[in-house]
Amino acid sequence: EVQLVESGGGLVQPGRSLKLSCAASGFTFSNYYMAWVRQAPKKGLEWVATISTSGSRTYYPDSVKGRFTISRDNAKSSLYLQMNSLKSEDTATYYCARHVPFAYWGQGTLVTVSS
Amino acid sequence: DIQMTQSPSFLSASVGDRVTLSCKASQSIYNNLAWYQQKLGEAPKLLIYNTNSLQTGIPSRFSGSGSGTDYTLAISSLQPEDVATYFCQKYYSGPTFGSGTKLEIK
C-alpha cells in the first residue's frame, strides 16, 4: 500500500524558515517524480514544487521560486521542502504527492505563518 | 501561463441526478487533464486522468470527456457520498488546478 506521511509543519513567524518532510513507502520511491501541493484555509489547490527522480531537476511556480527548495533522499525514500522567507500567504496545509497526475497524496501538514 | 476555469463554483443536485462539471483551459492542454474529489477534512483523491481514464477503485458512475480546451466530469447518478469539492488539473506545461466546484445534495 502506497503511503505518504508529511511532518514538520507548525507555527512560524514571517521571514523565518521551516523544513517539511515526507516519508514514502509502498512503492519504489526512486522511480517517481514527486511534488508538493498546498491548500490555504478554505481555498483551492496550488502546486508548489516538483523534483525529478534523481533530484537533478526541480520546478517551481513564480509564487515560491527563490524561497522554496524541494529535495529528496532516495536511500531514505524521503522528500523535503525547505521554505525560507516565509510570508503570511504561505499559510496552508502542505501535501506531498506522487507526480503526475497526483495519484497518491499524504494527509498533509499545516504551516501557519504568523507573528 | 495556461489558466484553468471551472464552472459552476457551486452546484446543488438531487440524489440520482446526472451532474456535469465543466473545466476550461485558456489554451489547448492536449487531453492532459485530471479530476480530483476532495471531501471535507481529507486529502484530494484522483478520479480521472488523461481526460477519460478512470482511476482504479473509482466507481463507474464517474466519467470524463473533452478535448482541446473544454473538459467535463460527469456523475451519472449522484450519490450522497459524492458531496465534495471537485478540482480539475492540467499537467501539460506544468500542473495547474482549477478553482473547484462545490457539490451538494439538494
Side-chain angles (χ1 to χ4, degrees), chain A residues 60-115:
Chain A
Y60 307 92
D62 288 345
S63 58
V64 307
K65 196 176 295 182
R67 299 190 300 123
F68 288 12
T69 302
I70 188 172
S71 62
R72 66 191 297 161
D73 184 336
N74 285 341
K76 294 183 178 180
S77 295
S78 292
L79 180 72
Y80 305 101
L81 184 68
Q82 176 68 46
M83 303 184 293
N84 297 333
S85 303
L86 282 162
K87 307 174 183 180
S88 58
E89 52 263 42
D90 295 318
T91 294
T93 295
Y94 285 73
Y95 297 98
C96 69
R98 203 175 81 177
H99 206 281
V100 81
F102 301 125
Y104 297 98
W105 299 65
Q107 84 289 349
T109 188
L110 178 62
V111 173
T112 303
V113 183
S114 174
S115 54

Side-chain angles (χ1 to χ4, degrees), chain A residues 14-76:
Chain A
R16 304 298 291 264
S17 299
L18 199 64
K19 187 172 185 177
L20 306 182
S21 300
C22 172
S25 60
F27 64 103
T28 304
F29 181 75
S30 58
N31 286 354
Y32 291 89
Y33 278 48
M34 296 294 295
W36 289 95
V37 177
R38 69 183 179 184
Q39 186 170 36
K42 300 191 185 303
K43 298 293 186 182
L45 300 165
E46 180 186 18
W47 164 68
V48 169
T50 290
I51 189 166
S52 64
T53 52
S54 67
S56 61
R57 286 168 290 178
T58 57
Y59 309 87
Y60 307 92
D62 288 345
S63 58
V64 307
K65 196 176 295 182
R67 299 190 300 123
F68 288 12
T69 302
I70 188 172
S71 62
R72 66 191 297 161
D73 184 336
N74 285 341
K76 294 183 178 180

Side-chain angles (χ1 to χ4, degrees), chain B residues 39-62:
Chain B
K39 297 184 178 181
L40 198 63
E42 298 183 5
K45 177 193 296 185
L46 177 66
L47 301 176
I48 301 282
Y49 61 97
N50 293 346
T51 296
N52 55 18
S53 297
L54 194 66
Q55 175 69 351
T56 302
I58 301 302
S60 58
R61 64 179 179 275
F62 291 93

